[in-house]
Structure formats: C-alpha cells, structure tokens
C-alpha cells in the first residue's frame, strides 16, 4: 500500500499524432483510434490536484481537445507544474493562452532537424506541418520561457540524413535559449531496413560528426548546459562504438 498518492502523474490520451516521425516506436499504435475513456478524463483533475508534476503525453498532447480542455480548466492556485513534450507544430493561440496561465516545469521540443529539408524528410511525409511554423513557435517559446523561467530543451535524434547538422542544430537551440539534446537514433523495431537507411554512415561523416561534436561541446559548456554537455560526450563515444561494430 502506498504511503501517499503518486506525486508524478503521466497520462496518454491517445498515441495519435499530426506528424509521422521516422523513428517513433508508437507509429503503429498511432494508427489505432483507441483513446482513454471519458470516465477517466473526468478523473484527471482529481489526480492533478495532488500531483507535483503532471505530464500529458502522446502522440502530440496538443492534438487532443479533451487534453486542451483539461489544461484550460486547471486550477492554477495548486502547486502542480506541467511537463510538456511537443513537436511545436500545433501551438495555437488557444494553446499559448494555456501556456501563459499554467505553471510549467519543462517544455521539451522535439524537432530532429536543423533545417527545413531534413525536417520534411524525417517528420512530415505528407502531413500538414511546415518548418517555418516550428521556427515561429520556437521564437514564441523563447519569449514565454523568459517570462516564466521553465526548463526549455530542443532535441534531435542523429541519423545518416541529419548527420552533418550537429553544430547547426546546437546553434539553432542556443539562439532560442534552449538546451540542445542530441542522441543517436535507436532502431525501434531492430530492422535491417532502418539500420541501412538511418544508421549507416560514411567515414567522412564519422570524421565530420566528431569535429562538430567538439565545436558544439565548447558552445554548450560556455552556456553551462550540463545535460547538453553530457549528451554530446555520450554521443561521441557511441559513434566510435557504432563505427567499429554496428555501421
């Protein structure tokens, strides 16, 4: 028996998403129309009332009207803070009204690219989203973070398409006062096709990635971004191992 109610509350209304990211382990689940039942959604405010952190997960959390309605109705006099992971393509004026109102612990934006070409190749594939939309929202989130002082991160999974964008991505994140988090993509279903398409690098790519990692490490350490520094060091070590054994 628990001595107290859980302090961290994470719920996933649905795995549906407005994007189709190349590496998402939930891609098949996203095709299923399953959602949490209305009876559970009615209980969400009660769980949130005693939680220190509430984490609306997805899919894309801002894709679902019941989640947005819950956030709009949240009692901001409580000590609850929110943790959001978003692709930053559905941040409407209604969502920004919510973000200005609710306490935020972390806003984690996942983009997987440093430019429009890679974004289109890795995340959209016919879906209704554009890179300029993401960039505009990063600027607005920068302003929001300055006013509310939450942890703001920007993440990218490294693969053979965006392999030479490490430093460009770090510069992009730092320009919005976001902590850049770069990791080597995982092969979600351990398929040969994925390995060949996204995790096979040339010798020239390996050399350039290590050069960019060194330059990026200097930049993040100047900003005292400890997690970003750790991620870059781990990525460098993983790339050496990948080059020897998995490429």
């Amino acid at each position: 028996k628990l001595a107290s109610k859980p302090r961290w509350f994470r719920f996933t209304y649905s795995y549906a998403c407005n994007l189709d990211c190349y590496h998402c382990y939930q891609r098949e689940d996203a095709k299923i129309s399953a959602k949490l039942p209305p009876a559970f959604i009615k209980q969400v405010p009660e769980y949130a009332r005693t939680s220190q952190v509430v984490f609306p997960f997805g899919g894309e959390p801002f894709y679902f009207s019941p989640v947005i309605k819950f956030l709009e109705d949240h009692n901001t006099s409580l000590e609850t803070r929110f943790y959001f992971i978003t692709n930053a393509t559905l941040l409407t004026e209604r969502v920004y009204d919510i973000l200005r109102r609710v306490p935020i612990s972390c806003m984690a934006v996942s983009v997987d690219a440093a430019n429009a070409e890679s974004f289109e190749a890795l995340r959209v594939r016919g879906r209704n989203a554009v890179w300029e939309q993401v960039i505009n929202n990063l600027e607005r989130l920068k302003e929001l973070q300055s006013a509310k002082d939450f942890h703001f991160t920007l993440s990218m999974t490294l693969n053979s398409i965006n392999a030479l964008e490490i430093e460009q991505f770090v510069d992009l994140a730092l320009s919005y006062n976001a902590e850049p988090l770069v990791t080597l993509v995982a092969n979600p279903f351990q398929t040969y096709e994925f390995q060949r398409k996204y995790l096979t690098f040339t010798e020239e790519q390996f050399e350039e990635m290590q050069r960019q990692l060194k330059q990026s490490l200097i930049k993040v350490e100047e900003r005292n971004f400890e997690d970003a520094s750790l991620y870059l060091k781990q990525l460098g070590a993983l790339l050496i191992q990948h080059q020897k054994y998995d490429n």
Side-chain angles (χ1 to χ4, degrees):
K1 184 177 180 180
L2 293 175
S4 68
K5 293 184 178 180
R7 310 305 288 169
W8 177 287
F9 172 44
R10 168 177 144 168
F11 69 98
T12 302
Y13 177 71
S14 170
Y15 290 119
C17 185
N18 65 309
L19 296 185
D20 184 24
C21 300
Y22 76 108
H23 65 304
C24 183
Y25 66 93
Q26 297 176 165
R27 290 182 76 185
E28 294 304 315
D29 294 327
K31 298 175 184 178
I32 303 172
S33 61
K35 302 173 183 177
L36 289 175
F40 178 84
I41 295 301
K42 288 181 179 179
Q43 298 177 58
V44 167
E46 180 61 25
Y47 291 122
R49 188 180 65 81
T50 57
S51 298
Q52 292 175 329
V53 177
V54 175
F55 184 2
F57 197 57
E60 167 58 38
F62 300 115
Y63 194 39
F64 313 117
S65 56
V67 175
I68 292 177
K69 182 66 167 62
F70 154 67
L71 294 170
E72 283 180 326
D73 294 341
H74 176 70
N75 180 0
T76 57
S77 66
L78 299 173
E79 295 183 2
T80 304
R81 303 182 71 82
F82 287 86
Y83 190 116
F84 297 111
I85 295 179
T86 177
N87 59 43
T89 63
L90 297 178
L91 304 183
T92 63
E93 289 303 322
R94 183 182 180 188
V95 171
Y96 276 113
D97 285 342
I98 291 169
L99 297 179
R100 283 188 287 266
R101 195 178 70 86
V102 302
I104 301 173
S105 172
C106 179
M107 178 67 69
V109 177
S110 172
V111 294
D112 286 329
N115 55 57
E117 184 179 0
S118 294
F119 180 77
E120 292 288 334
L122 296 170
R123 310 212 87 185
V124 181
R125 291 196 292 276
R127 299 298 180 93
N128 185 25
V130 293
W131 177 247
E132 290 76 13
Q133 184 180 22
V134 173
I135 294 300
N136 290 338
N137 282 321
L138 290 178
E139 182 62 41
R140 296 191 68 175
L141 289 173
K142 174 185 176 181
E143 296 171 359
L144 187 69
Q145 193 272 343
S146 178
K148 302 193 68 170
D149 193 29
F150 51 78
H151 190 203
F152 183 22
T153 69
L154 198 63
S155 65
M156 180 175 83
T157 55
L158 190 71
N159 59 72
S160 56
I161 292 175
N162 62 19
L164 304 186
E165 299 173 20
I166 296 171
E167 191 171 5
Q168 185 184 3
F169 173 78
V170 168
D171 288 341
L172 176 73
L174 295 180
S175 71
Y176 295 107
N177 294 333
E179 183 166 18
L181 304 178
V182 188
T183 58
L184 184 64
V185 70
N187 189 337
F189 302 108
Q190 298 299 309
T191 64
Y192 171 77
E193 181 183 3
F194 188 98
Q195 191 79 10
R196 178 184 57 80
K197 187 173 183 180
Y198 297 112
L199 281 167
T200 301
F201 305 94
T202 65
E203 293 302 309
E204 291 77 12
Q205 283 179 314
F206 277 117
E207 182 178 349
E208 178 61 14
M209 284 188 290
Q210 291 293 353
R211 187 198 69 79
Q212 291 192 22
L213 283 171
K214 291 178 182 178
Q215 291 300 113
S216 298
L217 189 59
I218 294 171
K219 295 177 181 182
V220 300
E221 289 184 343
E222 285 177 348
R223 298 284 288 271
N224 295 317
F225 281 137
E226 295 181 359
D227 286 346
S229 175
L230 179 61
Y231 274 53
L232 291 175
K233 291 175 183 177
Q234 289 178 335
L235 178 57
L238 279 173
L239 286 173
I240 292 172
Q241 182 181 28
H242 187 81
Q243 185 176 9
K244 289 181 177 179
Y245 304 112
D246 299 321
N247 195 44

